Amino acid sequence: MIYTIIDVETTGQSNRMTEISIFKFNGDTVIDEFTSLINPETYIPQHITALTGIDDHMVADAPRFAEVADDIINITEGAIFVAHNVNFDYKVISGEFSRIGLEFNRKKLCTVRLSRRLLPGHRSYSLGKLCSALEINLVGRHRARGDAEATTILFELLLQQPEASDVFKEFLNKNSKEATLPPNLPKETFEALPDTAGIYYFKDKKGIVIYVGKAINIKKRVLSHFYSKTKKAQDMVRETRDIDFESSGSELIALLMEDAAIKHHFPRYNKVAKRTIQSFAIFSYEDRKGILHLASNKSRLVPNPIVTLFSIREVRAYLEKMCEKHNLCPKYCHLQESVSECSHFNIKNCKGICKDEETVEDYNNRVLEAIHDMSDQKSDIIVREKGRHDNEEAFVMVKNGDYLGYGFVDKEETINHIDDLDTFLIPQKNNMDIQKILRSRLLDL
């Protein structure tokens, strides 16, 4: 069997290659080698130069990736792609091939995961610390050739271990996830994840939560992170040492659980979820003719909102629904501006207030009914959801318009009144993000 032990250096954020080294190894000796600086066609950040010693001047006259692509294809053809944290190097190389319109597919082996299995008990499996513990001379750290040569010596040592044959066969099995999983994540941890709805926690080596996600299928969603080619995903999975989870039974409760977990842990890879959400308020006012209008504006400009929503699209959808339900005029609900008479493409049940075909009193009475509907109709709500298993149901509780939390109830329990659910309630905090999550569901009740 032939192996190519590979290491690449990159520009960091954009992951453009600056150097590559490949040792072709037949299990006994190195039979070929290819090493080259690469012009990344972009600048090299100063902190990367400080780490690798490679700067813009060094690569100015180096070949571009397209010029060495054939050399890489030829030396790796028919060989197994080996690297320390193989997914990183493999994604960099396959990404470079993709940029020039070519595919790159090779079987993979990771010396981090192999070392964890065949050389257990080390405090760290980073290349530098592992080589130090095993007394492997590592010359030229953070340069492609130095790291590739050290990885080759480590790989030869792994091949000599008593269980190597079985472990290598297992790792190369096409149904095995070993080549896909983060280098420091035990396979057993991934296999323990369920195929059900819930939330999951990525944790670093100190046990700190670095990411929280929700999913209808936890295992499938977690696996998708490992296949992602984004810099953020690659950095995150490289830091991941453990994954924990909580089942929810339904997507809605998973969303609520995710929001609470993010606000509790503030994981550094959940930046988008921490952004402040703009809110909009629906309010009413009376014009000079005495006609009541329904309108909207930013929440901070509305002292006594009837309803708070979280996008202009939601506002329009909500007002359209109220218009249809209470036979209101799209013009006076501000769904049409600068028109003398309404002519909404979808709402056709206006009774003619805009054409002076009905009295202001009759129209205003329906507006007041709509306001009452928006204000009071859904003040106390129990949303029933699927439980975490067949003998359980879940619920989300809203009282007086405030979200109180969610809970899980055994189907054998007798529930006669909303207050009976208090025993099973898992209290949660209400916030604008939660209101946004619940809004679309509550509109349909």
Side-chain angles (χ1 to χ4, degrees):
M1 195 170 289
I2 302 297
Y3 308 92
T4 45
I5 294 87
I6 302 172
D7 188 79
V8 300
E9 302 300 331
T10 75
T11 57
Q13 185 66 32
S14 60
N15 263 355
R16 296 303 303 271
M17 191 185 299
T18 59
E19 190 175 35
I20 185 170
S21 185
I22 304 173
F23 283 74
K24 195 168 188 176
F25 185 65
N26 66 6
D28 294 313
T29 58
V30 174
I31 57 176
D32 199 1
E33 178 191 342
F34 175 78
T35 299
S36 178
L37 286 166
I38 305 292
N39 185 335
E41 302 180 75
T42 186
Y43 80 98
I44 300 173
Q46 189 173 0
H47 70 278
I48 296 295
T49 297
L51 179 69
T52 66
I54 302 172
D55 59 22
D56 293 328
H57 178 73
M58 286 177 62
V59 299
D61 296 323
R64 292 173 172 79
F65 182 83
E67 298 173 62
V68 300
D70 286 343
D71 295 313
I72 295 171
I73 289 172
N74 292 335
I75 196 171
T76 61
E77 189 73 41
I80 295 169
F81 188 112
V82 181
H84 206 72
N85 187 10
V86 70
N87 289 330
F88 172 78
D89 300 83
Y90 190 86
K91 285 175 181 176
V92 170
I93 292 176
S94 61
E96 293 286 3
F97 273 107
S98 179
R99 288 187 183 95
I100 61 173
L102 298 175
E103 288 189 6
F104 182 81
N105 294 299
R106 301 289 186 267
K107 291 184 177 181
K108 297 181 291 181
L109 283 173
C110 179
T111 50
V112 178
R113 298 194 67 79
L114 285 169
S115 297
R116 284 185 171 277
R117 179 73 71 86
L118 295 170
L119 303 172
H122 291 276
R123 294 185 62 184
S124 172
Y125 286 86
S126 70
L127 184 61
K129 292 183 179 179
L130 193 57
C131 285
S132 177
L134 298 172
E135 298 184 348
I136 295 173
N137 189 23
L138 178 49
V139 179
R141 182 75 174 108
H142 297 302
R143 288 297 299 270
R145 191 181 191 283
D147 287 352
E149 185 175 32
T151 304
T152 302
I153 297 170
L154 170 62
F155 187 71
E156 184 176 12
L157 178 62
L158 292 169
L159 283 170
Q160 296 169 359
Q161 300 308 302
E163 299 178 3
S165 178
D166 291 339
V167 171
F168 273 58
K169 184 177 179 180
E170 176 190 341
F171 277 38
L172 289 170
N173 186 318
K174 66 179 181 179
N175 295 320
S176 173
K177 296 291 190 297
E178 291 288 356
T180 303
L181 299 181
N184 297 297
L185 181 71
K187 183 180 178 182
E188 297 75 23
T189 299
F190 173 76
E191 295 297 343
L193 297 175
D195 297 312
T196 54
I199 63 173
Y200 52 92
Y201 305 83
F202 282 22
K203 298 180 179 180
D204 65 12
K205 62 183 178 182
K206 295 181 180 179
I208 296 172
V209 175
I210 59 175
Y211 182 78
V212 176
K214 69 90 186 171
I216 297 174
N217 183 318
I218 293 175
K219 180 175 282 187
K220 186 176 180 180
R221 182 69 185 97
V222 167
L223 187 61
S224 73
H225 288 292
F226 305 154
Y227 283 110
S228 175
K229 294 183 179 180
T230 67
K231 176 75 165 51
K232 172 187 170 183
Q234 291 178 22
D235 289 346
M236 182 175 73
V237 299
R238 201 157 44 238
E239 290 184 50
T240 300
R241 298 295 192 278
D242 189 19
I243 301 175
D244 202 355
F245 68 90
E246 291 181 68
S247 295
S248 66
S250 72
E251 183 179 19
L252 173 60
I253 292 184
L255 282 164
L256 300 174
M257 292 169 69
E258 179 192 39
D259 180 80
I262 289 172
K263 287 178 171 56
H264 177 72
H265 294 285
F266 290 101
R268 60 180 175 275
Y269 286 104
N270 283 98
K271 290 180 181 178
V272 173
K274 298 178 200 174
R275 292 185 304 191
T276 301
I277 297 175
Q278 178 70 59
S279 63
F280 301 87
I282 294 176
F283 63 98
S284 68
Y285 70 91
E286 184 179 304
D287 67 17
R288 287 180 297 176
K289 296 180 181 179
I291 299 172
L292 287 175
H293 291 235
L294 291 178
S296 66
N297 206 335
K298 293 179 180 178
S299 292
R300 59 185 174 82
L301 302 176
V302 180
N304 297 302
I306 303 169
V307 172
T308 301
L309 299 163
F310 300 92
S311 74
I312 295 298
R313 180 179 294 180
E314 277 190 290
V315 168
R316 289 192 64 85
Y318 195 88
L319 286 172
E320 285 175 2
K321 184 168 184 174
M322 290 298 107
C323 246
E324 289 187 280
K325 186 174 181 180
H326 296 279
N327 297 327
L328 303 182
C329 177
K331 173 185 174 180
Y332 292 116
C333 289
H334 292 263
L335 294 170
Q336 289 186 289
E337 302 286 356
S338 303
V339 295
S340 59
E341 298 176 359
C342 72
S343 57
H344 195 277
F345 71 96
N346 194 36
I347 302 170
K348 308 294 185 183
N349 57 352
C350 171
K351 292 191 174 184
I353 183 66
C354 57
K355 302 175 185 178
D356 296 324
E357 293 177 356
E358 72 168 330
T359 66
V360 171
E361 182 181 4
D362 287 345
Y363 182 77
N364 284 352
N365 284 336
R366 293 200 308 280
V367 175
L368 292 172
E369 288 175 4
I371 292 172
H372 181 270
D373 188 4
M374 289 187 280
S375 301
D376 300 327
Q377 183 184 10
K378 296 166 185 171
S379 58
D380 289 355
I381 298 172
I382 297 297
V383 183
R384 294 178 63 180
E385 290 289 318
K386 181 182 177 182
R388 296 165 296 185
H389 50 78
D390 292 341
N391 296 321
E392 182 181 74
E393 286 188 332
F395 66 91
V396 177
M397 183 180 290
V398 177
K399 280 189 177 182
N400 298 318
D402 289 329
Y403 166 70
L404 298 185
Y406 58 85
F408 303 96
V409 184
D410 194 291
K411 289 182 178 179
E412 295 181 359
E413 292 285 344
T414 301
I415 305 296
N416 297 314
H417 189 270
I418 186 173
D419 292 338
D420 295 338
L421 293 172
D422 289 346
T423 304
F424 306 96
L425 181 69
I426 302 171
Q428 301 292 318
K429 293 180 179 178
N430 193 16
N431 60 63
M432 287 172 58
D433 300 282
I434 291 295
Q435 290 298 321
K436 185 175 186 297
I437 291 168
L438 291 175
R439 182 64 60 191
S440 61
R441 181 63 190 270
L442 295 181
L443 280 171
D444 294 332
L445 293 178

